[in-house]
């Protein structure tokens, strides 16, 4: 039994060390130019200047963020976005109010504050940018959204 446990421990150690190395070598970006280096924006990412929001392309699309979010702090104790977008601050800031849908639980119960599942804004909302597509596509906006 002791020998089996030792062998299992050695095998697991090998897997923990070697598997991530092998995976990193085979992962490529969609552009195919370099290996993926994690979730952090690369040094080539260009933060856009503030501008008017871009139109939505499909019915349930979360609005894009029309300003930089560089350095915005969002933790479980603090959300920088709510400094301007909370309902009690929008009159002073001129920012768009957080949608009423963000105050409901998954079961539909209305809350007095932002729902925990909607609290981390950049899970759905991303800064807009004029980036070239990673791959070609033939997407067309929803007919009801075309002006």
């Amino acid at each position: 039994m002791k020998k089996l446990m030792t062998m299992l421990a050695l095998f697991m150690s090998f897997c923990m060390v070697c598997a991530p190395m092998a995976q990193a070598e085979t992962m490529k970006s969609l552009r195919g130019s370099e290996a993926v280096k994690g979730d952090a924006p690369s040094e080539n990412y260009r933060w856009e200047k503030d501008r008017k929001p871009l139109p939505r392309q499909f019915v349930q699309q979360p609005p894009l963020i029309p300003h930089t979010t560089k350095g915005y702090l969002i933790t479980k104790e603090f959300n920088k976005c709510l400094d301007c977008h909370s309902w009690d601050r929008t009159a002073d800031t001129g920012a768009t109010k957080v949608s009423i849908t963000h105050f409901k639980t998954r079961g539909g119960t209305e809350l007095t504050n932002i729902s925990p599942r909607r609290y981390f804004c950049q899970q759905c909302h991303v800064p807009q940018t004029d980036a070239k597509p990673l791959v070609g596509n033939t997407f067309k906006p929803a007919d009801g959204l075309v002006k």
Side-chain angles (χ1 to χ4, degrees), residues 23-39:
Q23 191 176 31
E25 291 173 9
T26 60
M27 288 179 31
K28 297 282 186 197
S29 73
L30 288 175
R31 290 192 173 110
S33 59
E34 60 185 59
V36 177
K37 292 185 175 74
D39 294 335

Side-chain angles (χ1 to χ4, degrees), residues 7-17:
M7 293 293 285
L8 182 60
L10 284 172
F11 177 73
M12 290 180 67
S13 297
F14 174 78
C15 290
M16 291 174 66
V17 170

Side-chain angles (χ1 to χ4, degrees), residues 59-144:
V59 177
Q60 293 296 326
Q61 177 186 350
L64 297 171
I65 303 170
H67 58 79
T68 184
T69 57
K70 186 176 184 177
Y72 273 40
L73 178 67
I74 301 177
T75 67
K76 64 181 185 175
E77 288 88 23
F78 179 78
N79 183 327
K80 177 68 175 163
C81 302
L82 297 177
D83 281 356
C84 297
H85 294 279
S86 65
W87 280 51
D88 59 342
R89 297 282 300 138
T90 57
D92 298 332
T93 64
T96 304
K97 286 181 184 178
V98 174
S99 170
I100 192 71
T101 61
H102 289 48
F103 291 84
K104 292 184 180 183
T105 64
R106 182 168 293 161
T109 304
E110 290 191 16
L111 304 171
T112 57
N113 209 339
I114 301 288
S115 172
R117 69 188 188 114
R118 301 288 187 110
Y119 182 78
F120 294 95
C121 309
Q122 290 189 9
Q123 289 180 140
C124 300
H125 302 278
V126 295
Q128 62 190 22
T129 185
D130 193 17
K132 293 178 182 168
L134 294 174
V135 295
N137 71 66
T138 58
F139 178 80
K140 301 279 188 249
D143 290 338

